[in-house]
């Protein structure tokens, strides 16, 4: 149901790798998006915003990549629901991409980003390699 011509779009990579290295539960924030726009200008219309958390470097180590703890909770970075809402309301963004298992942070139990972003007609990509 997603038109093919909406899949080839400008890419805006937001680098949060240093923050994610300090906090595996880091969420891409509105401040990260504001910093990106301060450096690069307004996000292009009809673009894909990609979070580079640096997590792709862990792909060969399943324990580190999933961050699954003894209680079975996953720990890996994701997009904050607030940042996703801002992108939907304040910018014309077609896609979200992450280098982790999910658009939502690993600790999420309600998957707010999935349940708001995807039904809005936008698309998401997970486990994206080489965002660095």
């Amino acid at each position: 149901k997603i038109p093919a011509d909406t899949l080839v779009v400008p890419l805006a990579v937001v680098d949060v790798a240093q923050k994610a290295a300090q906090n595996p539960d880091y969420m891409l924030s509105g401040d990260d998006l504001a910093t990106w726009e301060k450096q690069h200008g307004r996000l292009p219309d009809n673009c894909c915003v990609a979070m580079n958390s640096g997590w792709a470097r862990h792909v060969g180590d399943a324990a580190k990549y999933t961050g699954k703890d003894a209680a079975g909770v996953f720990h890996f970075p994701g997009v904050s629901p607030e940042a996703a809402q801002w992108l939907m309301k304040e910018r014309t963004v077609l896609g979200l991409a992450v280098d982790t298992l999910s658009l939502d942070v690993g600790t999420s139990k309600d998957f707010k980003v999935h349940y708001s972003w995807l039904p809005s007609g936008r698309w998401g990509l997970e486990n994206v390699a080489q965002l660095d």
Side-chain angles (χ1 to χ4, degrees):
K1 294 183 179 182
I2 299 172
D5 65 346
T6 67
L7 297 175
V8 179
V9 298
L11 180 65
V13 178
V14 182
D15 188 347
V16 297
Q18 287 184 333
K19 294 174 182 178
Q22 300 298 314
N23 177 9
D25 299 322
Y26 187 78
M27 289 188 279
L28 176 77
S29 69
D31 287 343
D32 297 319
L33 297 169
T35 298
W36 189 95
E37 285 195 333
K38 188 179 242 184
Q39 293 173 342
H40 304 284
R42 186 180 171 99
L43 288 165
D45 284 345
N46 302 312
C47 73
C48 172
V49 171
M51 175 191 74
N52 172 29
S53 70
W55 229 245
R57 73 178 178 271
H58 303 308
V59 78
D61 180 350
K64 181 68 175 171
Y65 193 68
T66 65
K68 192 173 184 181
D69 65 20
V73 176
F74 293 106
H75 296 277
F76 54 79
V79 177
S80 74
E82 296 77 19
Q85 286 296 317
W86 185 83
L87 289 170
M88 288 191 290
K89 292 179 179 176
E90 302 298 327
R91 298 293 182 268
T92 308
V93 175
L94 293 178
L96 271 180
V98 295
D99 59 353
T100 60
L101 291 170
S102 175
L103 299 176
D104 288 279
V105 67
T107 57
S108 178
K109 300 293 184 222
D110 55 15
F111 305 101
K112 286 184 179 181
V113 175
H114 275 86
Y115 285 116
S116 63
W117 188 265
L118 298 175
S120 73
R122 295 167 176 89
W123 47 264
L125 299 174
E126 300 166 339
N127 300 295
V128 177
Q130 299 180 334
L131 287 175
D132 57 342

